[in-house]
Amino acid sequence: MIGAYYDTVFDAAQAQGLPVETAADYAASAFLDGKPTRQGKRKSSGAGRHAAFWASDFLRTLPVQAWQQESLGLALARYLGQDRFACPDILAHVAKLAPDVLQQAARHAGLVLRQDSARWREMEALADSQPETFSEFVQLFRIFKQAHRLRVDEIERLRQPLASLTPLDLLAYASLCAFEHLLPDLLEGRDMPKAPDAQEVWDAVEDILAWKLGTCDAAGLRLTDTAIAASLRQHLTPFLFPSSEAPGPRHDLYAAFAALLDAQIELDAFISRSAEAFSYDDGVRFVRQGERLEIIEVDAQARAAWRIDGDKLNRLHQYWLYRGMDALMASPELLALVSPAHLEANLQAFAKAMGTWLRLQEVYGVAEQVRSEAGSSVDVFRALLATELMTAFYIEDFLRPYHQHLQQLGHPWLALGRLAFGGLLQPAMQNRFPITWSDRAAKIARITPWTVTPEHPKGQAQAAEAILDFWTSDWSAVAERLREGDVALRPRWQERPVLMMGRHLFQLPWMMAVQNNATAAVNNLRRLGARRNEAREETRRIEYRLGALFEQRGFRALVGHELPAGASDDADAGEIDLLCALEGHLLVLELKSTYQRRSVKDAWVHRTSTLRKAGWQLHRKVPAVRHALQRDAALRHALALSPEAQPQITAWIIDTSIEWDHQAFRGFLKVSLEEIQIALRDERRWLNDPEGLFRAACVGDATTRLAADSEPIDTLYPGGFSAKQFIEVVETAAVWTGTA
């Protein structure tokens, strides 16, 4: 029965002679892991588990040391993060026993931005009963609430002049803003440390468009040629082609959009750098100085780790481009498909697509074909190639000429007008506006030549259609989800950058030309597509491919090994993702496959859910493996382990994401899957940009060179590869040293 489940877990741990703190940790970990999953024949509900856990008798008898464990603090954060179940007496109990734990749980629950919650009212009540402990804490929250309210109210006010505009109208002003304020700095390579970066601006524009999609009339998304022409004639072309015979530019609306954008950037920055930092960044502390707050850094090492992980991610992008170039140069068939027009840009597009394809295969287990949301089967490499060729097209045919016009004319509107007019003068009247659009048939025709293969020298329209589906975000569907309050998996527009309104498809050259298509592809599949039918197969494929890479180095590898019943004292040990043995060393690997995160909040959730659970799994599995090796001769034989000697066991959490790299979870090291692969392949050199491809100052004058065959400039194994040396390379993070 679920009501006694957690007391039973606690009692069983104590019966094994474990300390009370450990027994409480076991029970709290079971709760955090969603156990029990069923109550009789029915699935257990989250509210039911809360009710059962917080009613457990053992919680009222725990010493302060038990509450100071991470699992108990996270359980409190889970309670404070929901509104379906109330148990205020447990807060009063912990407040007297371990107030610092409760305060941290309130932060981790994100209550600073949820002060309308019933759980926050329970916290506020503690300021009355224990003012010396909680009144200052509550005051901090109230300052955050006021600051947040001021920013939200300002945005509500600034939205009013734009309330009647359609999403396309807003896209016009966003595009004008991008060409005036974003692209000149990017093209010139200027460093603007006090200004928001491009990603912050894009995110703010996306938030504004999400507001518009959630509030606009559905008819505003069923665009016709007439509606598109009317919108652009009023909101875009007067800036590009001013005329005394036509209505002038709507500078008032452009100024209103710019003001709203600034306010949205400010709100987003407040949330990410203040509210979410307060909630999820344990490397800082907020101190009240009168009616304002100051941030004090309390753990410089933890904050530096976040920046270092970001640098590693950038270097991994370099690594995969070099891998892609190497694969491209080894494929005459692919090289034959590269168009001689804009040869350098097209070569780079092919190399980038190949690098991302290798990454999706080796790191994420993606097969050659996947299903789009529309149900079509997509050739993944061709989909990647299509988006990279789109980027190359927008760089060569939009950004470069725009940059030249801007240098000549000195004003963004004049430069944009020259660019658009030049397109109209071409024989086929090319669209060179800041927004491009076409109907579905025309877009398929445009993509079809990019699907050329030796078997289909003219390409395939069906393949082009599938590619289009893969990259398309249906704004009518997104708007419906937003109106219903479902924002959990709203596509970031870079993840699906072809925007569908009615039968027309829109793209933004100013975004497509500079976005990271590799990240877009990964998150398209692994974030938005996490529930795809292929996702489970991909996870298994990751394990097998990594196992094969270990075998190439001489390891014996077992994938998905199930310990036989009775082989372990721990009935919950479960499946071992990967066992690898060589030279008396045995690696026990727990693999986790997720997506690439951008916020401190998302990273914290990953650490306290997926990675915390992985550490707990290894905590159970390593003793189970050791126990099985003592009894299972077949297992030792399969791993080529000597029957006499005990192997030296090393256990790691292997994760497809870079967050929390080289940190320990229950004593087990977490490393990225890509680091393991690079260490096994001995390819550290490609992390260090040996050809200088990433040293170009900016988009406008960047040049790209394909790497020639070159000798490795260093090796991780100067004395030859061995299991012991490999383990040392990983545990000392040697892959990341030796920067060029």
Side-chain angles (χ1 to χ4, degrees):
M1 180 177 176
I2 190 173
Y5 178 84
Y6 303 106
D7 278 321
T8 301
V9 173
F10 178 84
D11 293 341
Q14 287 220 291
Q16 297 175 29
L18 296 174
V20 63
E21 293 88 353
T22 305
D25 179 35
Y26 279 27
S29 295
F31 168 68
L32 292 170
D33 292 344
K35 297 178 180 178
T37 57
R38 307 195 72 81
Q39 183 178 7
K41 295 183 178 180
R42 292 179 298 140
K43 288 185 67 175
S44 299
S45 67
R49 283 191 291 271
H50 272 288
F53 182 74
W54 299 112
S56 300
D57 293 334
F58 76 88
L59 289 175
R60 275 74 182 172
T61 65
L62 293 178
V64 62
Q65 303 97 293
W67 283 106
Q68 288 171 340
Q69 297 177 108
E70 182 184 48
S71 57
L72 272 295
L74 290 175
L76 282 169
R78 289 274 181 94
Y79 168 73
L80 292 170
Q82 54 81 46
D83 288 322
R84 294 169 294 175
F85 169 78
C87 186
D89 72 289
I90 198 66
L91 294 192
H93 176 75
V94 179
K96 293 178 181 178
L97 193 67
D100 57 328
V101 172
L102 184 56
Q103 290 180 4
Q104 186 178 58
R107 288 173 46 228
H108 288 166
L111 283 177
V112 71
L113 293 180
R114 294 178 51 248
Q115 294 186 45
D116 57 346
S117 163
R119 301 291 81 76
W120 174 245
R121 289 192 287 274
E122 292 173 7
M123 290 294 301
E124 278 187 310
L126 296 173
D128 297 327
S129 60
Q130 294 178 239
E132 69 286 352
T133 306
F134 285 95
S135 60
E136 181 68 17
F137 184 71
V138 168
Q139 186 62 26
L140 287 177
F141 273 68
R142 288 173 177 166
I143 292 174
F144 268 108
K145 181 178 182 179
Q146 182 181 17
H148 184 243
R149 186 71 259 165
L150 285 172
R151 288 164 174 79
V152 170
D153 288 346
E154 178 70 357
I155 281 182
E156 292 291 341
R157 182 183 70 81
L158 293 172
R159 283 174 175 173
Q160 294 310 308
L162 306 171
S164 62
L165 298 188
T166 68
L168 179 57
D169 299 339
L170 281 183
L171 277 181
Y173 291 111
S175 300
L176 289 170
C177 191
F179 275 94
E180 181 180 15
H181 297 294
L182 277 183
L183 291 184
D185 293 332
L186 288 172
L187 293 167
E188 297 291 348
R190 288 194 292 263
D191 186 17
M192 305 290 286
K194 295 184 179 179
D197 64 25
Q199 189 62 59
E200 290 178 309
V201 177
W202 290 340
D203 290 346
V205 172
E206 190 172 305
D207 290 335
I208 292 171
L209 289 166
W211 155 68
K212 178 56 65 176
L213 289 175
T215 56
C216 72
D217 188 329
L221 294 168
R222 295 191 292 269
L223 294 178
T224 63
D225 290 330
T226 301
I228 294 171
S231 172
L232 299 183
R233 187 165 53 245
Q234 182 177 4
H235 301 289
L236 182 62
T237 55
F239 289 89
L240 277 54
F241 308 121
S243 169
S244 59
E245 300 177 359
R250 291 296 303 268
H251 291 292
D252 58 329
L253 292 177
Y254 181 59
F257 177 83
L260 177 58
L261 180 61
D262 287 342
Q264 188 68 57
I265 292 170
E266 169 63 23
L267 174 61
D268 292 349
F270 170 79
I271 291 173
S272 64
R273 298 174 187 170
S274 296
E276 289 187 353
F278 175 78
S279 300
Y280 307 108
D281 187 349
D282 292 330
V284 299
R285 184 164 56 92
F286 284 71
V287 178
R288 184 169 68 90
Q289 300 290 346
E291 292 302 312
R292 63 184 181 85
L293 301 177
E294 289 188 0
I295 302 177
I296 298 175
E297 188 173 73
V298 295
D299 189 343
Q301 187 175 359
R303 304 205 84 199
W306 173 260
R307 294 189 293 271
I308 290 170
D309 287 348
D311 291 339
K312 288 179 178 179
L313 189 59
N314 290 334
R315 291 174 66 191
L316 286 171
H317 287 311
Q318 299 176 19
Y319 169 82
W320 289 108
L321 177 58
Y322 278 102
R323 285 282 308 275
M325 291 189 298
D326 196 55
L328 177 60
M329 298 308 292
S331 175
E333 287 187 357
L334 276 181
L335 284 171
L337 298 177
V338 179
S339 170
H342 302 310
L343 178 62
E344 191 173 303
N346 285 324
L347 279 171
Q348 186 183 40
F350 271 76
K352 285 183 175 180
M354 179 57 73
T356 304
W357 170 226
L358 291 172
R359 189 179 202 176
L360 289 175
Q361 282 183 299
E362 296 178 16
V363 181
Y364 297 96
V366 175
E368 293 184 5
Q369 303 273 336
V370 298
R371 290 277 172 189
S372 70
E373 280 190 1
S376 54
S377 180
V378 186
D379 182 308
V380 177
F381 172 71
R382 297 292 164 178
L384 298 171
L385 180 59
T387 194
E388 292 294 356
L389 288 170
M390 290 176 192
T391 291
F393 167 71
Y394 286 127
I395 289 173
E396 297 300 325
D397 285 55
F398 282 74
L399 261 60
R400 289 194 193 281
Y402 169 73
H403 188 214
Q404 294 167 359
H405 298 328
L406 184 61
Q407 290 176 321
Q408 294 170 3
L409 303 173
H411 193 281
W413 308 154
L414 295 176
L416 274 177
R418 178 74 62 84
L419 176 67
F421 190 67
L424 295 175
L425 291 179
Q426 293 184 29
M429 290 187 65
Q430 299 295 315
N431 185 332
R432 296 295 182 267
F433 283 85
I435 306 171
T436 65
W437 67 96
S438 64
D439 62 26
R440 183 175 175 83
K443 195 67 176 177
I444 290 170
R446 172 83 183 184
I447 295 174
T448 297
W450 299 344
T451 66
V452 167
T453 64
E455 297 79 17
H456 300 279
K458 294 184 178 180
Q460 292 178 285
Q462 186 177 4
E465 186 175 14
I467 289 169
L468 197 55
D469 290 340
F470 182 79
W471 290 114
T472 294
S473 177
D474 182 347
W475 272 21
S476 292
V478 172
E480 185 176 353
R481 289 200 297 270
L482 289 170
R483 285 192 291 268
E484 293 172 353
D486 178 13
V487 297
L489 281 180
R490 170 168 63 93
R492 311 301 296 187
W493 58 356
Q494 290 165 281
E495 293 166 349
R496 292 184 181 168
V498 179
L499 314 175
M500 182 166 72
M501 288 184 275
R503 63 184 181 85
H504 289 86
L505 302 168
F506 295 81
Q507 286 183 276
L508 307 174
W510 50 273
M511 184 185 74
M512 284 292 301
V514 294
Q515 78 165 28
N516 187 314
N517 292 321
T519 298
V522 169
N523 285 353
N524 188 334
L525 289 165
R526 301 302 299 178
R527 189 181 80 85
L528 298 177
R531 297 186 180 91
R532 291 175 298 116
N533 292 333
E534 298 116 328
R536 183 179 295 274
E537 298 172 17
E538 289 168 0
T539 300
R540 181 61 78 192
R541 209 175 285 127
I542 295 168
E543 297 168 357
Y544 276 105
R545 286 175 176 168
L546 183 59
L549 197 55
F550 272 101
E551 288 175 341
Q552 291 174 21
R553 280 296 191 178
F555 284 86
R556 287 289 187 91
L558 293 181
V559 176
H561 181 72
E562 289 277 3
L563 295 175
S568 168
D569 293 333
D570 188 346
D572 293 329
E575 180 183 275
I576 313 299
D577 290 342
L578 195 56
L579 291 169
C580 300
L582 178 65
E583 300 165 353
H585 289 271
L586 176 62
L587 298 175
V588 181
L589 306 181
E590 181 71 22
L591 271 66
K592 298 298 177 186
S593 178
T594 55
Y595 60 93
Q596 296 182 12
R597 293 163 188 80
R598 295 190 307 182
S599 72
V600 171
K601 176 182 177 180
D602 287 346
W604 182 87
V605 170
H606 183 53
R607 181 179 74 79
T608 57
S609 54
T610 303
L611 298 179
R612 178 200 58 78
K613 185 175 181 179
W616 177 246
Q617 288 170 318
L618 283 178
H619 177 75
R620 298 197 315 264
K621 291 179 180 183
V622 170
V625 168
R626 186 174 285 114
H627 190 76
L629 288 172
Q630 294 172 354
R631 299 187 177 188
D632 190 345
L635 176 60
R636 296 180 70 93
H637 177 74
L639 293 169
L641 292 171
S642 166
E644 296 84 16
Q646 285 296 319
Q648 185 171 335
I649 295 179
T650 301
W652 296 327
I653 301 165
I654 310 298
D655 184 23
T656 56
S657 67
I658 200 71
E659 292 89 10
W660 312 106
D661 203 32
H662 279 268
Q663 298 197 28
F665 295 83
R666 285 195 178 265
F668 300 105
L669 185 70
K670 179 269 175 190
V671 291
S672 72
L673 176 58
E674 285 160 292
E675 178 178 344
I676 296 293
Q677 293 171 329
I678 292 168
L680 287 169
R681 296 171 63 95
D682 196 12
E683 290 179 340
R684 175 174 60 180
R685 66 193 184 280
W686 281 344
L687 283 169
N688 299 324
D689 194 15
E691 295 295 319
L693 299 183
F694 294 85
R695 296 174 196 150
C698 55
V699 173
D701 61 3
T703 58
T704 305
R705 293 180 290 121
L706 282 171
D709 292 336
S710 58
E711 293 298 321
I713 61 173
D714 66 348
T715 176
L716 293 164
Y717 312 103
F721 183 91
S722 69
K724 179 181 179 181
Q725 185 67 21
F726 169 72
I727 293 170
E728 183 178 335
V729 161
V730 172
E731 294 191 338
T732 60
V735 159
W736 303 106
T737 61
T739 55

